[in-house]
Amino acid sequence: IGMKDSLITDNMGECISYLSGNQQFQESSVYLTRFRQCQSYALSLIKTHTVNTLREATKQVMPSPQVLASLSTEDMFGSFFGKFRTCAPRIKLLMDQVEEKSDSREDYRALLHDCQQCYFNFRLTLLQPSLAQAMRKLVTQHSSDRAALVRSGGTFMVRLCQDEYQLYLRFFSTACPGLDEFLESLSSVLYDELRPCFIQLNHLETLADLCIVLKVELLEDYVAQKSTELAAFGVIAEQMLEDVQERLVYRAQSFMQSDIQRYTPSPGDLAYPDKLQVSKSSDSTNSGSTNSGSTPVQSPVKPPPPPSTPMSPGLQQQLAVADEQGMWYPTLRRTLVCLAKLYRCINKPVFES
């Protein structure tokens, strides 16, 4: 099947069009039926050739379970792309002819859809087991750092989706709705493998980091820049972000109930105004020592020794803020820290509610 066969289908299409417009010719209906049968047979040959070529390419690179466990991720996916790139020109030549006529001919449109679905099915059969294993390796590798796990898994899927999008264009000229469904199915492997890792997290800091990775590093830095190639991955990344945000809000509510609303103060927490007087006396001592003609004010609290090296103004400001926050009631400090994490990670309507 090649250029010669595509020319034959073109000639048959012209004959069918001519006879359809000239029914007055003798036995035109007989010849019209025969031409249509020949065209249907030619289209079935194109489909059979496409299916057999894709099946053979898949069979040649499909790894056995033993080989799958021993191959590196880069070598494995490199072989998956290489073999399909090799056979792409033979199919692309035929698909260009089919796509050209698919807008006006229902039979060509059905053939194109069947060939595209065949392509997607073979790629899913080839990629999904290997992709699931690659994700499990990342889970084991980053078992102690969930943010690094989501970052590594997300960037891996970004590269894979971009490569798959470009590989598809080696077989077909125009994108179709099935392409986004195919890429979304691949991205769902990432979601299925990573979701159990973060729905059990309890630490607000870790959940907030995951939100930043998903929202900024993946959705804004990657998906927003390559909206066409990564639209399907963006759907899954948004779903993961919503799950993490839901978990973050739930844990924040639990934290507010247990550590803020039900907080039991210690005697030191209620030592007002003594704590403020001590802080004021300490400040007076420090300011008095800087004036050469003044006498230091005695304070019951011994001031800290001067640093061995001069501190920068920024560091001095940070220490001053830390000292000031040390005078706060503990629930105030915890509330502000919790709200600061939520403000960066969730939508404004949810935050305000």
Side-chain angles (χ1 to χ4, degrees):
I1 298 228
M3 179 62 73
K4 180 180 179 180
D5 301 274
S6 64
L7 293 176
I8 292 176
T9 57
D10 290 342
N11 293 334
M12 285 189 294
E14 294 176 359
C15 293
I16 292 173
S17 299
Y18 180 80
L19 291 175
S20 298
N22 296 275
Q23 297 286 342
Q24 72 276 10
F25 291 162
Q26 186 177 3
E27 297 185 352
S28 60
S29 59
V30 176
Y31 285 103
L32 183 61
T33 301
R34 291 178 180 176
F35 275 122
R36 285 175 175 169
Q37 290 175 346
C38 291
Q39 188 179 53
S40 297
Y41 179 69
L43 296 182
S44 67
L45 287 179
I46 294 176
K47 180 179 178 180
T48 301
H49 171 72
T50 302
V51 172
N52 291 338
T53 302
L54 294 175
R55 179 184 291 113
E56 184 63 25
T58 303
K59 182 179 178 180
Q60 290 181 6
V61 296
M62 176 70 76
S64 63
Q66 296 78 13
V67 175
L68 183 63
S70 60
L71 281 177
S72 66
T73 303
E74 292 78 8
D75 294 339
M76 182 168 49
F77 283 90
S79 65
F80 294 166
F81 288 110
K83 185 60 182 177
F84 272 72
R85 287 194 188 100
T86 302
C87 66
R90 289 177 290 171
I91 297 179
K92 183 68 161 55
L93 179 64
L94 296 173
M95 291 301 105
D96 286 342
Q97 301 293 325
V98 174
E99 287 179 314
E100 184 179 350
K101 300 178 179 63
S102 61
D103 292 336
S104 57
R105 296 285 302 276
E106 179 63 30
D107 48 355
Y108 279 86
R109 187 157 50 249
L111 173 62
L112 177 62
H113 178 268
D114 291 343
C115 291
Q116 289 171 338
Q117 291 304 312
C118 173
Y119 171 84
F120 296 140
N121 291 336
F122 279 119
R123 290 301 292 175
L124 281 176
T125 302
L126 180 62
L127 291 173
Q128 278 185 329
S130 303
L131 181 57
Q133 176 164 322
M135 292 298 105
R136 287 192 288 269
K137 288 181 179 179
L138 287 178
V139 171
T140 303
Q141 180 180 354
H142 301 288
S143 58
S144 60
D145 190 346
R146 296 308 184 192
L149 170 62
V150 174
R151 183 181 296 109
S152 300
T155 53
F156 180 87
M157 281 306 309
V158 165
R159 293 195 301 270
L160 180 62
C161 288
Q162 289 177 323
D163 291 340
E164 285 296 326
Y165 191 93
Q166 296 301 323
L167 181 63
Y168 169 86
L169 294 180
R170 291 177 177 268
F171 288 84
F172 307 94
S173 298
T174 56
C176 66
L179 177 58
D180 283 338
E181 296 176 3
F182 162 67
L183 295 177
E184 192 170 332
S185 298
L186 288 180
S187 302
S188 296
V189 176
L190 172 70
Y191 179 82
D192 295 338
E193 295 294 334
L194 298 192
R195 186 174 185 274
C197 297
F198 55 72
I199 62 173
Q200 300 178 357
L201 292 174
N202 294 324
H203 298 290
L204 296 180
E205 185 71 33
T206 304
L207 290 168
D209 290 342
L210 292 183
C211 287
I212 297 302
V213 172
L214 289 167
K215 186 176 181 180
V216 177
E217 298 184 21
L218 295 182
L219 288 172
E220 294 181 6
D221 293 348
Y222 286 112
V223 177
Q225 303 299 324
K226 299 285 186 178
S227 57
T228 302
E229 298 178 1
L230 300 177
F233 171 75
V235 173
I236 301 301
E238 286 280 3
Q239 188 174 351
M240 293 176 60
L241 176 60
E242 291 174 0
D243 289 346
V244 177
Q245 289 174 332
E246 182 179 356
R247 180 67 179 175
L248 176 61
V249 171
Y250 169 75
R251 289 303 306 161
Q253 291 174 339
S254 300
F255 173 79
M256 291 178 183
Q257 291 177 358
S258 62
D259 289 26
I260 297 177
Q261 294 179 356
R262 300 173 185 172
Y263 177 75
T264 302
S266 65
D269 296 332
L270 303 176
Y272 291 97
D274 297 341
K275 295 172 69 173
L276 298 178
Q277 292 175 347
V278 171
S279 176
K280 181 179 180 181
S281 177
S282 177
D283 293 340
S284 300
T285 301
N286 293 334
S287 61
S289 62
T290 58
N291 299 324
S292 59
S294 61
T295 303
V297 179
Q298 297 298 323
S299 170
V301 178
K302 184 178 180 181
S308 57
T309 57
M311 291 185 295
S312 64
L315 180 57
Q316 292 178 356
Q317 184 178 6
Q318 293 178 5
L319 292 177
V321 172
D323 291 341
E324 181 181 355
Q325 293 179 357
M327 297 293 103
W328 292 356
Y329 191 67
T331 55
L332 173 60
R333 184 170 58 253
R334 295 177 184 180
T335 300
L336 293 178
V337 171
C338 181
L339 292 178
K341 296 184 184 302
L342 291 175
Y343 182 78
R344 295 183 301 131
C345 301
I346 62 177
N347 298 328
K348 186 177 180 180
V350 178
F351 177 80
E352 292 178 345
S353 65

